[in-house]
Structures are given as structure tokens and as C-alpha cells.
Amino acid sequence: SQTIHQWPATLVQPVGSPLSLECTVEGTSNPNLYWYRQAAGRGLQLLFYSVGIGQISSEVPQNLSASRPQDRQFILSSKKLLLSDSGFYLCAWSAESDTQYFGPGTRLTVL
Amino acid sequence: AQSVTQPDIHITVSEGASLELRCNYSYGATPYLFWYVQSPGQGLQLLLKYFSGDTLVQGIKGFEAEFKRSQSSFNLRKPSVHWSDAAEYFCAVGATGGFKTIFGAGTRLFVKA
């Protein structure tokens, strides 16, 4: 069966510091991969999605970037964090069925 | 443009009472429809999905949803709510061959004893 992992689970970072969040999927090949942000009390905002290695689509211009160095690995990065980057970051994967399956999330607090 | 509306930001029901969470969508083609549940600090868990066929869909944890094309709705129901059902519920719409799923803003369910 397929599983999706995210780490770290929680992160507290100062403003201006770099960021790297990692997501990996097991048990499937060539998944579509997604990064979402969920601000407090808000819905899900799609940040990036990827349909293959090195293929990244950005949905919202912002301080973040994404990379897919391996088939089942998706990384969310920033060179300099802003206060507004605080939130709950969710990674998800899907196959052709379009059903998305979510990871446990990373709580990021920027101080 | 595609959109999903969950009209209720939050709902409070008594334990043992029935539940209906509303979802309306706007989509030009035949949609894929989903309901997810999120407990605090957790990821989203798929409750059920509709792709085609029978418009009444059964899901996990005793939930069901009914697709009504004429009303562009996909409401989630449960006959008897348990305290553990307290969570946030998201309706979502996707498309055949598409890569993006549009999520509603969510409905927070509170369950009182």
C-alpha cells in the first residue's frame, strides 16, 4: 500500500532564515505531487504541483519554491522566510484517478 | 471558473443527532467529487468520492454523500454523529485527466454531549 511522509512535523524558524520541507511517497511510481498551505482557520491553498521529475508548476507567486529531485520526493524551500509564511504545509500525491492522498503535515511558525 | 462552496463555516450538533454538511460546486464538465475530514493538527483523510454511477456514495466512518447534478450539490450526511466526528470537513471537486483539485473553505463540526 502507499504511504506518504512529511518532515519535520513541526518547525520554528526566525524571519530571514532558509526553509526546507520534505515529502516522500512509498508504494507507487510516477505520482503527481502537490504542496498546499493552510493558514489558521482557512482552507487549502495550492502552492505547487508536479507531474514528473523536474517538472514543477507554481500556482501562486511567492517567497517559496519547490523541487522534485527524485520520482517520489518533493521538496518545498525558501531562501528567506517571511512572517506570512507561517502555516500548516501539506503534501499530497495522486495517481491517474485524481484522488489526492495527504501526508500528516508540517506546522511552520516563523518568528 | 471552477469553484466549491461550503455555505456553513461551522455547525454544532448533539451527539446521536443526524448531520448534513452542504457542498455546492461550479464546474463545466462532469466532476469528480470528494469529501475529506481533517482532525486538528492532522492531514486530510479521504471520506468518500464520486466519479460516476450510483449518485449515493458510501464512505468510511458511516458517512454517505449524494450527488445531485440538477442542484450542483454533493452533501455529506451521517445518521448519528459521534463525539469523535468533531473535525473540519472539506468538499472538493476535480476533473478527468486534470491535475488540480479545488477545495472548499471547510466546515468545522462541533459535537455537544
Side-chain angles (χ1 to χ4, degrees), chain B residues 53-110:
Chain B
D54 192 346
T55 57
L56 184 62
V57 181
Q58 302 297 320
I60 62 172
K61 304 185 179 186
F63 286 92
E64 66 177 26
E66 186 171 11
F67 171 55
K68 293 185 177 180
R69 185 186 299 276
S70 61
Q71 298 178 21
S72 297
S73 69
F74 189 55
N75 294 349
L76 182 70
R77 301 193 294 249
K78 187 170 184 178
S80 178
V81 169
H82 188 263
W83 65 266
S84 61
D85 293 324
E88 185 139 26
Y89 292 80
F90 292 92
C91 180
V93 60
T96 307
F99 302 112
K100 292 189 284 185
T101 298
I102 308 298
F103 287 83
T107 297
R108 168 91 45 196
L109 173 64
F110 297 94

Side-chain angles (χ1 to χ4, degrees), chain A residues 32 34 36 38 42-44 46 49 51 59 88 90 97-104, chain B residues 32 34 36 38 41-44 46 49 51 90 95-101 103 105:
Chain A
N32 299 325
Y34 310 81
Y36 291 88
Q38 189 177 28
R42 305 282 296 277
L44 280 75
L46 179 63
Y49 69 94
V51 302
E59 288 297 296
F88 193 53
L90 289 159
S97 67
D98 296 317
T99 302
Q100 292 187 21
Y101 298 94
F102 285 80
Chain B
Y32 289 176
F34 309 87
Y36 289 86
Q38 184 183 33
Q42 304 293 317
L44 276 69
L46 180 69
K49 60 186 177 184
F51 284 2
F90 292 92
T96 307
F99 302 112
K100 292 189 284 185
T101 298
F103 287 83

Side-chain angles (χ1 to χ4, degrees), chain A residues 8-80:
Chain A
T10 60
L11 190 60
V12 180
Q13 292 285 93
V15 169
S17 64
L19 173 73
S20 181
L21 303 181
E22 189 165 344
C23 171
T24 59
V25 181
E26 296 176 354
T28 187
S29 296
N30 196 31
N32 299 325
L33 296 171
Y34 310 81
W35 278 113
Y36 291 88
R37 178 169 56 203
Q38 189 177 28
R42 305 282 296 277
L44 280 75
Q45 179 186 33
L46 179 63
L47 302 175
F48 303 94
Y49 69 94
S50 171
V51 302
I53 296 175
Q55 302 178 61
I56 309 295
S57 296
S58 174
E59 288 297 296
V60 182
Q62 58 205 323
N63 186 40
L64 302 170
S65 62
S67 62
R68 185 169 177 174
Q70 300 180 44
D71 181 44
R72 290 168 289 175
Q73 183 185 32
F74 205 23
I75 296 173
L76 184 69
S77 303
S78 174
K79 293 182 179 179
K80 290 185 178 181

